Amino acid sequence: MSIGDVSKRVLLGRKLRSSQLGETLLPKRIALPVFASDALSSVAYAPDEVFIMLSLAGASAYVWSWKIGIAVAIVMTAVVASYRQTVHAYPSGGGDYEVATVNLGSKAGTVVGSALLVDYVLTVAVSISSGAQYAASAIGPLNGHEATFATALVIVLAALNLRGIRESGTFFAIPTYAFMVAILGMCAYGLFELAAGTLPKVASADLDMSAEPGYGDSMTTFALIFLLARAFSSGCAALTGVEAISNGVPAFRRPKSKNAATTLLLLGAIAISMMLSVIVLAKQMGLQLVDPDDVDRLTLNGQPVPDDYDQHTAIAQIAQAIFQDFSPGFYFVVTVTGVILVLAANTAFNGFPVLGSILAKDGYAPRALASRGDRLAYSNGIVFLAVMAIILIQIFNAEPTRLIQLYIVGVFVSFNLSQLGMIRHWTRHLKTERDPAVRRRMYRSRVINAVGLTFTAVVLVIVLITKFFAGAWITILAMIVFYILMRAIRRHYDNVNDELAADEEDKLLPTRVHAIVLVSKLHKPTLRALAFAKATRPNVLEGVYVSVDAEATNRLLEEWDERNIDVPLKVLHSPYRELVRPIVEYAMEIRKANPRGVVSVYIPEYVVGRWWEQLLHNQTALRLKGRLLFAPGVMVTSVPYQLRSSELAREREEREGVWVRPSELRMGNVPTRSGKDRQIQK
Amino acid sequence: MSIGDVSKRVLLGRKLRSSQLGETLLPKRIALPVFASDALSSVAYAPDEVFIMLSLAGASAYVWSWKIGIAVAIVMTAVVASYRQTVHAYPSGGGDYEVATVNLGSKAGTVVGSALLVDYVLTVAVSISSGAQYAASAIGPLNGHEATFATALVIVLAALNLRGIRESGTFFAIPTYAFMVAILGMCAYGLFELAAGTLPKVASADLDMSAEPGYGDSMTTFALIFLLARAFSSGCAALTGVEAISNGVPAFRRPKSKNAATTLLLLGAIAISMMLSVIVLAKQMGLQLVDPDDVDRLTLNGQPVPDDYDQHTAIAQIAQAIFQDFSPGFYFVVTVTGVILVLAANTAFNGFPVLGSILAKDGYAPRALASRGDRLAYSNGIVFLAVMAIILIQIFNAEPTRLIQLYIVGVFVSFNLSQLGMIRHWTRHLKTERDPAVRRRMYRSRVINAVGLTFTAVVLVIVLITKFFAGAWITILAMIVFYILMRAIRRHYDNVNDELAADEEDKLLPTRVHAIVLVSKLHKPTLRALAFAKATRPNVLEGVYVSVDAEATNRLLEEWDERNIDVPLKVLHSPYRELVRPIVEYAMEIRKANPRGVVSVYIPEYVVGRWWEQLLHNQTALRLKGRLLFAPGVMVTSVPYQLRSSELAREREEREGVWVRPSELRMGNVPTRSGKDRQIQK
């Protein structure tokens, strides 16, 4: 193993072989955690945002908290019901993008695509920022350094994904089930204490909270409604990630659609219970939470809290109170919450390149993204996602309260178009379907999707009205940019296809082949190139040498004679020491003299195996090939000569096998082994 | 003109055509300024460093200043005399590197090479830092921001060089002659006033300066000698750049060597007069200068000077005093001094890549550096130089006093090896020369070089002793790193050459050619590739298609039949959507079945003209070509199909013509026009 190899191993880890994954379609008990982390993790911040928004009107507004919670739960129920229709109708895993494209046309599909791309960035930024808050509530010294910590987390996550995390069911199952047990267990115990009348108060219950000037008792009804609407739209962050299962149907065990729909129902039920319990407990335990930039609205016994007072999240405060005599319980809750938030961010790291490859297949993104195993394209996606998320984290100082203003616009745009598409889907199928039982099911599905559309449309309008100036305009702007870019890429591919479409004259054979072999020295690669060129029996064959130095030229001519090489050697003089231009001009001249012929340029190349060796060689060959591509009627043949060190490169490649993308598990692409590809002969 | 083209024009400027330079070998009056900026500019900081070093022992030590000046002048005389011998003996412009390589062997040559590389970096850092000081003395608000300003200057200079500055004689002549007039004129007037007894005092003359604790009256003789030696080695910075002319002999008018030697003499005389005048005037005008980190040693009327007191350079203070009633004079002196310092730094930006190309020709640097017009390699050199210089400027806060500790080690290593080489040169020639007149001249030259060697060796020892721990160790470490790197590169090239040396069996012809044409779609590029491949009449010809999707495969097979293509199509199945691996494996299989045959892989490629279009295409072709290079017995032919937009790229290239490197003027490479290259047929 070479040194370069070892250092790559250390930095990026051993690459994964396809065969290491093994055949595993997911049973429901594993599929739930695999797809749930994004949706469930929002319970870690969504309730907080509801309380923070309500706090503008003072502690008395907290009576609205559980009503808002129920409103969010109703919307979630509608969305879950809608997506259960989608997984039945579109079991291929294309998700919202496919539904919108098929039913509403490519423009709607592109809108969904750009909405989802933007949303992945925000998922990373929000989840990691919230995770940093949890870390700070458990580890005191992190207080006030959340942005730095969050940035470091994103970098670590990106590095892990560049390495290729080996994902497995267990990888998701343990933390996700631990999170469910922790939150639901804690809430159940809390609700039991509430019933028993022994529910303790949280730390911030001792504080007094004043309303923001202009809010509070003097508020108009209109202002109150607006405030409640803002709180509601922040709470709707709990809905993000629900759509994940609709992208992952192919990974489920058979019957795929049915299992996926059941898992979705389960996910919805768990998410709603968690959210409502946390809101009720927080309210009953006297939680006081304000915007972190507004801590001066909090007072303790009439004294303002210190400037560096750091509020902890609702779940952290509840856990602290409930487990006040049992600190491991508190640390367990906070740790698994932090872990699930990181897992949610990781979901985005997986989903972003997958979406990229789907868009690429349809011509909306560079085609390289579509080819499996193009590690470079995959890596670019990860780096892009990480950089954008870090920029957001830095700009908004890793405060979920501020980032949440940008969030969920994308998700709800995609929800809406998807539901609208589903309605069109059923309407179209109803036109041809004759079986009354099936027709009845279709009517029912259409009603469910229509209800879903109504709810998500209302939410989208509320979100746009309440959040546009608070940050959502950034999201919309980014979506527009992505949209324009994707349309331009598609237009380019279409133009190229038109230009490339074959017609009859393309089958004309060139009349003659004029072969030239580039000679720089008389060494093995040159002799091999001459032999190969001769084997193709061209009409004309000559060696071509660019002379920049009379002495070297004479030496070469002598050697050419001595070795009795039966190919004429043409010398091109280049007084200004250029190599590429004289060759290109010579090839074009030959072509001009015989426009129906073809010029075949043979370039002897030697191949080295180490990256630093590659820096030292073949720059001229590369540049020459690049230039000759632009010369019409010229074809360029590389005749490689493998040096000993090139074996290293081949061995390394074979050892490493095919690279597996971390997202394969979720895509249902689980090859058994990288065995031989079968071949058929036509 | 495309948009990309316009934006490149704005950023990088119009590229230069060879024909724009015109035929100009340099007359002496132009050659002097072209080569003098580096050597003359050191008068802007060398005297200051002498005073600063002496100040450690208090104002009384300043009596030594003019004696040290004279010592430096003597060394400079010896060095100038020595280099006059070099320009006669080596008129090819190889300079110290050539002298050392030819006479002392390649290892000595490599040492000189690495010394010069390091020195170029320091020339930029020191000159620009000193230039920033001058700017600060004329523009008040810059005080205290010298490092930032210097960094910005380096970036601007690098950008200008990446653009390709159009250098001409005038470009150098005006500022250099202006600088000579300014400094010599000011000094002459000052010396006249000194004789007339009306010489004013400089601003810092009112200050009182105390000695550094441990120095001053209580100093031992040994400590005093050490201090004087340090001051002397700082003063020797005035010698840097003297060797420039020996690299530029080919650019002189005939008789080249004689003209170069005369110019060198002139340069030495001017540099010595400037330096001595400045030192004498500064002393007589009461200059007080301490290390900028030690301003607390200065007091004004018993009060310490303020912490933010910013010392100005000797020349700036002298100009301020002499032109106290005529401020334009002061601004003129300071401005031209700043400009000449920037020109000196620019010399390094030109010289660094030139040295790189010389080293590359001898196999000590990546070969790409040697080819003229390799803009990429040239640009990498400039960026590397700028980054290293900026790092030094930032670490040492743009203080010439601290940077000077690293400087001149490299120059003096190169001086020494060059003088030693010259002695060997004369000794060798004396063995064969019989003409007594010539022998006498050779004896004389050898004596001059021996004297030169003695002086430079003494200076090198003094520099090493006095500066090693003050910073010179960094320089030496960097030289060692460059040396090891250069030897390793050379060893690699030698190994490759050995491995590539031709022997008789290399002329064996392959027995048969098996051609495969890669098919992705049935479009124009594919049809062209099939036609071209057919024209080469291979023994076997087949199309190869990698199937990742049954539907697309069937469509292609149908179309293949419809169009009556008389080439069989082989379909390789790739269930995991890989494209590259099945093709590589198939090619290797064919080769294995027929080890004496050759596999010819034709890749249809379409060529687009804009950089962003290139991002969208042909990634697979590139990766495939890269992988196939490692397969023995396989040759890879690109059959390009030029899309309309590719014309843009060709037109752009033709319009821009050949790129001229900014250093051409100094190299004597002045092509008249980029006309046609002549060709001879063997």
Side-chain angles (χ1 to χ4, degrees):
Chain A
M1 197 158 41
S2 76
I3 294 195
D5 213 15
V6 171
S7 62
K8 219 165 93 191
R9 177 72 42 86
V10 172
L11 283 172
L12 293 178
R14 175 178 280 276
K15 288 192 199 160
L16 301 173
R17 280 180 189 280
S18 299
S19 54
Q20 287 176 320
L21 260 178
E23 166 104 54
T24 39
L25 285 181
L26 306 174
K28 287 196 288 291
R29 67 174 189 285
I30 300 294
L32 178 65
V34 165
F35 293 105
S37 59
D38 189 5
L40 294 187
S41 68
S42 39
V43 80
Y45 48 85
D48 300 61
E49 299 309 322
V50 172
F51 283 104
I52 287 174
M53 211 41 79
L54 290 176
S55 78
L56 286 177
S60 62
Y62 278 4
V63 294
W64 292 96
S65 60
W66 64 270
K67 295 172 195 164
I68 288 174
I70 285 178
V72 172
I74 292 172
V75 176
M76 187 180 279
T77 310
V79 168
V80 166
S82 287
Y83 273 98
R84 279 165 54 85
Q85 314 310 313
T86 306
V87 298
H88 281 294
Y90 291 90
S92 59
D96 294 343
Y97 171 74
E98 186 183 352
V99 173
T101 307
V102 170
N103 296 296
L104 305 172
S106 73
K107 285 192 181 165
T110 321
V111 173
V112 170
S114 52
L116 290 178
L117 287 177
V118 172
D119 226 68
Y120 279 129
V121 174
L122 283 160
T123 299
V124 175
V126 170
S127 303
I128 291 292
S129 297
S130 176
Q133 274 198 319
Y134 277 89
S137 63
I139 308 166
L142 281 180
N143 275 332
H145 302 284
E146 283 91 348
T148 313
F149 182 67
T151 304
L153 264 184
V154 174
I155 292 171
V156 168
L157 212 51
L160 286 176
N161 272 285
L162 289 172
R163 255 184 80 135
I165 304 176
R166 165 122 186 257
E167 292 187 343
S168 64
T170 329
F171 179 88
F172 289 96
I174 292 176
T176 309
Y177 281 119
F179 176 68
M180 291 182 198
V181 168
I183 300 295
L184 291 177
M186 176 179 82
C187 289
Y189 184 72
L191 293 173
F192 166 79
E193 284 193 313
L194 177 61
T198 58
L199 190 65
K201 292 284 176 188
V202 297
S204 60
D206 301 336
L207 301 175
D208 293 307
M209 187 169 64
S210 57
E212 181 82 1
Y215 291 84
D217 298 336
S218 61
M219 236 171 152
T220 62
T221 313
F222 178 76
L224 176 66
I225 291 175
F226 189 77
L227 184 70
L228 294 179
R230 282 184 75 181
F232 169 71
S233 35
S234 289
C236 282
L239 273 77
T240 57
V242 168
E243 79 289 358
I245 287 180
S246 72
N247 297 313
V249 187
F252 279 81
R253 281 215 184 136
R254 279 164 225 290
K256 291 176 187 275
S257 290
K258 189 164 170 295
N259 282 334
T262 311
T263 309
L264 188 51
L265 191 61
L266 211 58
L267 170 63
I270 295 171
I272 289 174
S273 339
M274 282 186 175
M275 183 192 62
L276 286 180
S277 324
V278 169
I279 288 181
V280 167
L281 278 181
K283 169 77 182 76
Q284 295 300 331
M285 294 168 81
L287 181 79
Q288 313 277 346
L289 215 54
V290 300
D291 190 305
D293 294 337
D294 273 349
V295 282
D296 51 354
R297 291 206 340 258
L298 293 175
T299 48
L300 180 60
N301 306 328
Q303 300 292 317
V305 298
D307 267 356
D308 59 352
Y309 171 73
D310 222 15
Q311 307 185 96
H312 293 320
T313 59
I315 287 180
Q317 293 200 31
I318 293 173
Q320 204 158 25
I322 287 190
F323 296 113
Q324 65 200 42
D325 304 321
F326 179 62
S327 68
F330 164 74
Y331 284 107
F332 179 67
V333 170
V334 168
T335 306
V336 294
T337 310
V339 170
I340 204 88
L341 283 163
V342 173
L343 271 190
N346 192 50
T347 309
F349 273 104
N350 289 171
F352 192 82
V354 172
L355 179 61
S357 84
I358 294 173
L359 291 171
K361 248 178 258 162
D362 289 353
Y364 292 111
R367 214 165 278 163
L369 295 176
S371 70
R372 183 168 173 284
D374 189 333
R375 188 155 196 164
L376 189 65
Y378 183 84
S379 307
N380 286 341
I382 288 178
V383 171
F384 177 81
L385 180 59
V387 169
M388 298 306 289
I390 287 174
I391 289 174
L392 286 178
I393 287 172
Q394 291 291 336
I395 291 179
F396 295 103
N397 199 26
E399 288 175 14
T401 308
R402 294 168 68 193
L403 284 165
I404 210 108
Q405 311 300 327
L406 283 70
Y407 204 26
I408 77 173
V409 180
V411 180
F412 274 86
V413 165
S414 139
F415 279 170
N416 271 286
L417 288 170
S418 166
Q419 306 312 337
L420 189 61
M422 286 308 292
I423 295 175
R424 289 273 282 269
H425 170 83
W426 300 123
T427 308
R428 206 176 62 238
H429 280 260
L430 279 168
K431 281 194 191 135
T432 51
E433 184 59 56
R434 288 287 156 257
D435 180 346
V438 177
R439 284 184 70 85
R440 221 169 309 126
R441 275 207 303 280
M442 283 184 173
Y443 273 118
R444 211 197 49 167
S445 295
R446 191 167 66 172
V447 170
I448 292 176
N449 283 126
V451 173
L453 175 63
T454 315
F455 276 112
T456 51
V458 170
V459 175
L460 180 60
V461 171
I462 293 177
V463 168
L464 284 178
I465 292 175
T466 56
K467 297 190 162 181
F468 187 83
F469 293 109
W473 64 270
I474 300 173
T475 315
I476 292 166
L477 193 67
M479 279 171 57
I480 293 172
V481 170
F482 274 120
Y483 179 83
I484 293 173
L485 212 60
M486 283 154 66
R487 299 305 298 186
I489 289 173
R490 173 62 188 256
R491 205 159 41 242
H492 169 75
Y493 280 128
D494 287 346
N495 289 343
V496 168
N497 275 345
D498 289 348
E499 213 181 320
L500 292 181
D503 49 41
E504 275 318 301
E505 58 175 311
D506 293 317
K507 286 175 68 180
L508 282 180
L509 273 188
T511 50
R512 49 185 263 143
V513 179
H514 186 133
I516 61 181
V517 177
L518 302 188
V519 177
S520 61
K521 269 186 186 169
L522 207 49
H523 51 23
K524 281 172 189 282
T526 304
L527 292 174
R528 172 175 293 187
L530 283 167
F532 280 20
K534 222 187 273 174
T536 67
R537 294 183 300 278
N539 303 75
V540 181
L541 172 62
E542 56 186 354
V544 167
Y545 175 69
V546 179
S547 156
V548 292
D549 166 359
E551 203 184 317
T553 310
N554 289 335
R555 261 204 316 274
L556 177 72
L557 290 173
E558 271 167 37
E559 214 185 336
W560 198 268
D561 282 339
E562 269 168 31
R563 284 193 166 263
N564 270 321
I565 294 172
D566 54 352
V567 173
L569 179 65
K570 186 168 197 88
V571 178
L572 304 177
H573 278 270
S574 170
Y576 312 134
R577 289 186 285 129
E578 284 178 282
L579 294 172
V580 174
R581 172 176 283 253
I583 293 167
V584 174
E585 281 175 359
Y586 182 58
M588 308 264 276
E589 250 169 55
I590 298 174
R591 162 79 176 176
K592 212 179 282 168
N594 194 344
R596 292 213 36 227
V598 51
V599 183
S600 182
V601 180
Y602 288 84
I603 306 180
E605 288 188 53
Y606 42 88
V607 187
V608 289
R610 303 185 188 89
W611 65 267
W612 58 265
E613 291 181 323
Q614 275 154 21
L615 291 183
L616 299 177
H617 293 286
N618 276 331
Q619 310 295 332
T620 313
L622 254 180
R623 224 169 47 228
L624 183 59
K625 284 194 274 183
R627 284 292 309 277
L628 283 172
L629 282 181
F630 290 98
V634 175
M635 58 181 176
V636 186
T637 304
S638 301
V639 183
Y641 182 93
Q642 289 82 16
L643 285 168
R644 276 190 292 272
S645 75
S646 75
E647 302 247 319
L648 290 174
R650 210 175 56 232
E651 280 165 19
R652 190 165 56 228
E653 201 135 351
E654 274 165 19
R655 214 166 41 234
E656 284 170 348
V658 190
W659 176 63
V660 176
R661 298 201 283 197
S663 51
E664 299 291 327
L665 179 70
R666 216 172 298 228
M667 296 274 282
N669 290 323
V670 272
T672 45
R673 46 185 300 276
S674 69
K676 296 212 70 66
D677 305 309
R678 283 151 304 155
Q679 291 159 18
I680 61 163
Q681 177 91 38
K682 182 186 176 271
Chain B
M1 195 158 41
S2 76
I3 294 195
D5 212 18
V6 170
S7 60
K8 218 166 94 190
R9 176 72 43 88
V10 172
L11 283 171
L12 293 178
R14 176 179 278 278
K15 288 190 198 163
L16 300 173
R17 280 180 189 282
S18 298
S19 54
Q20 288 175 320
L21 259 179
E23 165 103 60
T24 40
L25 285 180
L26 307 174
K28 287 196 290 291
R29 67 173 188 286
I30 300 295
L32 178 64
V34 165
F35 293 105
S37 61
D38 187 8
L40 294 186
S41 69
S42 41
V43 80
Y45 48 83
D48 300 61
E49 299 308 321
V50 173
F51 283 105
I52 287 174
M53 212 41 81
L54 290 176
S55 78
L56 285 177
S60 63
Y62 278 4
V63 295
W64 291 96
S65 59
W66 64 270
K67 293 172 197 163
I68 286 174
I70 285 178
V72 172
I74 291 171
V75 176
M76 187 180 281
T77 311
V79 169
V80 166
S82 287
Y83 274 98
R84 280 167 53 85
Q85 314 311 313
T86 306
V87 298
H88 280 295
Y90 291 89
S92 60
D96 294 343
Y97 171 73
E98 185 183 352
V99 173
T101 306
V102 170
N103 296 297
L104 305 173
S106 75
K107 285 192 181 166
T110 321
V111 172
V112 171
S114 52
L116 291 178
L117 287 177
V118 173
D119 225 68
Y120 279 129
V121 175
L122 282 160
T123 300
V124 174
V126 170
S127 302
I128 291 292
S129 297
S130 176
Q133 274 199 318
Y134 277 90
S137 63
I139 308 167
L142 281 181
N143 276 332
H145 303 284
E146 284 90 347
T148 313
F149 182 67
T151 303
L153 265 184
V154 173
I155 292 171
V156 168
L157 212 51
L160 286 175
N161 273 284
L162 288 172
R163 256 184 79 135
I165 303 176
R166 167 128 185 253
E167 292 188 341
S168 65
T170 329
F171 179 89
F172 290 96
I174 293 176
T176 310
Y177 280 120
F179 176 69
M180 292 183 197
V181 168
I183 301 295
L184 291 177
M186 176 180 82
C187 290
Y189 184 71
L191 293 173
F192 165 78
E193 284 193 312
L194 176 61
T198 58
L199 189 65
K201 290 288 178 190
V202 296
S204 60
D206 300 336
L207 301 175
D208 292 307
M209 189 168 64
S210 57
E212 180 82 2
Y215 290 85
D217 299 335
S218 61
M219 239 169 147
T220 62
T221 313
F222 177 76
L224 177 66
I225 290 174
F226 190 77
L227 185 70
L228 294 179
R230 282 184 76 180
F232 168 72
S233 37
S234 289
C236 281
L239 273 77
T240 57
V242 168
E243 79 289 357
I245 287 179
S246 72
N247 297 313
V249 186
F252 279 80
R253 281 217 184 133
R254 281 164 222 290
K256 290 174 187 278
S257 291
K258 187 162 171 297
N259 282 334
T262 313
T263 310
L264 188 51
L265 191 61
L266 211 57
L267 169 64
I270 296 170
I272 290 173
S273 341
M274 282 187 176
M275 184 192 59
L276 286 180
S277 321
V278 169
I279 289 180
V280 167
L281 278 182
K283 169 79 181 78
Q284 294 299 330
M285 294 168 82
L287 180 80
Q288 313 277 344
L289 215 53
V290 299
D291 190 306
D293 294 336
D294 272 349
V295 282
D296 52 352
R297 291 208 337 261
L298 293 175
T299 49
L300 180 60
N301 306 328
Q303 300 292 316
V305 297
D307 266 356
D308 58 353
Y309 171 75
D310 222 15
Q311 306 186 99
H312 293 320
T313 58
I315 287 180
Q317 293 201 30
I318 294 172
Q320 204 159 26
I322 287 190
F323 295 114
Q324 64 199 49
D325 304 324
F326 180 62
S327 67
F330 163 74
Y331 283 107
F332 180 67
V333 170
V334 168
T335 306
V336 293
T337 310
V339 170
I340 204 89
L341 283 163
V342 173
L343 270 190
N346 193 50
T347 309
F349 273 103
N350 290 170
F352 192 81
V354 172
L355 179 61
S357 85
I358 295 173
L359 290 171
K361 246 177 262 162
D362 289 354
Y364 292 111
R367 214 167 277 163
L369 295 176
S371 71
R372 182 168 173 284
D374 190 333
R375 187 153 196 166
L376 189 66
Y378 183 83
S379 306
N380 286 342
I382 288 178
V383 171
F384 177 81
L385 180 58
V387 169
M388 299 304 290
I390 287 175
I391 290 175
L392 286 178
I393 287 172
Q394 290 292 336
I395 291 180
F396 294 104
N397 200 25
E399 289 174 13
T401 308
R402 294 168 68 194
L403 283 165
I404 211 108
Q405 310 300 328
L406 282 68
Y407 205 23
I408 77 174
V409 179
V411 180
F412 273 86
V413 164
S414 138
F415 279 169
N416 271 289
L417 287 170
S418 166
Q419 306 312 338
L420 190 61
M422 287 306 293
I423 296 174
R424 290 273 282 269
H425 169 85
W426 300 124
T427 308
R428 205 177 63 240
H429 280 262
L430 277 168
K431 281 194 191 133
T432 51
E433 185 59 56
R434 287 288 157 259
D435 180 344
V438 176
R439 286 184 68 86
R440 220 169 312 125
R441 274 207 303 281
M442 285 185 174
Y443 273 119
R444 210 198 48 167
S445 293
R446 189 166 68 172
V447 170
I448 292 175
N449 283 125
V451 173
L453 175 62
T454 315
F455 277 110
T456 52
V458 170
V459 175
L460 179 61
V461 171
I462 292 176
V463 168
L464 282 178
I465 292 175
T466 56
K467 298 191 162 181
F468 187 83
F469 293 106
W473 65 270
I474 300 174
T475 314
I476 291 166
L477 192 66
M479 278 171 58
I480 292 172
V481 170
F482 275 120
Y483 179 84
I484 292 173
L485 212 60
M486 282 154 66
R487 299 306 296 186
I489 289 173
R490 172 61 187 255
R491 202 158 45 239
H492 170 76
Y493 280 128
D494 287 347
N495 288 343
V496 168
N497 274 345
D498 290 348
E499 212 180 321
L500 292 181
D503 49 42
E504 274 318 301
E505 57 174 312
D506 293 317
K507 286 175 70 180
L508 282 181
L509 272 189
T511 49
R512 49 184 265 144
V513 178
H514 186 133
I516 61 181
V517 177
L518 302 188
V519 178
S520 61
K521 270 186 187 169
L522 206 51
H523 51 21
K524 281 173 190 282
T526 305
L527 291 175
R528 173 175 291 185
L530 283 167
F532 279 20
K534 224 186 271 177
T536 66
R537 293 184 300 278
N539 304 76
V540 182
L541 172 62
E542 56 186 353
V544 167
Y545 175 68
V546 179
S547 157
V548 292
D549 167 359
E551 203 184 318
T553 311
N554 290 335
R555 263 204 313 275
L556 177 73
L557 291 173
E558 271 166 39
E559 215 185 337
W560 198 268
D561 281 340
E562 268 168 31
R563 285 192 166 264
N564 271 322
I565 294 171
D566 54 352
V567 173
L569 178 65
K570 186 172 198 86
V571 177
L572 304 178
H573 277 270
S574 171
Y576 312 134
R577 287 186 288 129
E578 284 178 283
L579 294 172
V580 174
R581 172 176 284 252
I583 294 168
V584 174
E585 281 175 0
Y586 182 58
M588 308 263 277
E589 249 170 57
I590 298 174
R591 162 78 175 177
K592 212 180 282 167
N594 193 344
R596 290 212 39 226
V598 52
V599 183
S600 181
V601 180
Y602 287 85
I603 305 181
E605 287 187 55
Y606 43 88
V607 187
V608 289
R610 304 186 187 89
W611 66 266
W612 57 266
E613 291 181 321
Q614 276 154 22
L615 290 183
L616 299 177
H617 294 284
N618 276 331
Q619 312 294 331
T620 314
L622 255 179
R623 227 171 42 230
L624 183 60
K625 284 194 274 185
R627 283 289 310 276
L628 283 172
L629 283 180
F630 290 98
V634 175
M635 58 181 176
V636 185
T637 304
S638 300
V639 184
Y641 182 93
Q642 289 83 15
L643 285 169
R644 277 190 292 273
S645 75
S646 75
E647 301 248 315
L648 291 174
R650 208 172 61 230
E651 280 166 18
R652 193 167 54 231
E653 200 136 349
E654 273 166 17
R655 216 167 39 235
E656 283 170 349
V658 191
W659 177 62
V660 176
R661 298 202 283 198
S663 51
E664 300 290 327
L665 179 72
R666 217 172 297 229
M667 295 274 282
N669 290 324
V670 273
T672 46
R673 45 185 301 276
S674 68
K676 299 213 68 67
D677 305 309
R678 284 150 303 156
Q679 291 159 15
I680 60 162
Q681 176 92 39
K682 186 190 175 259

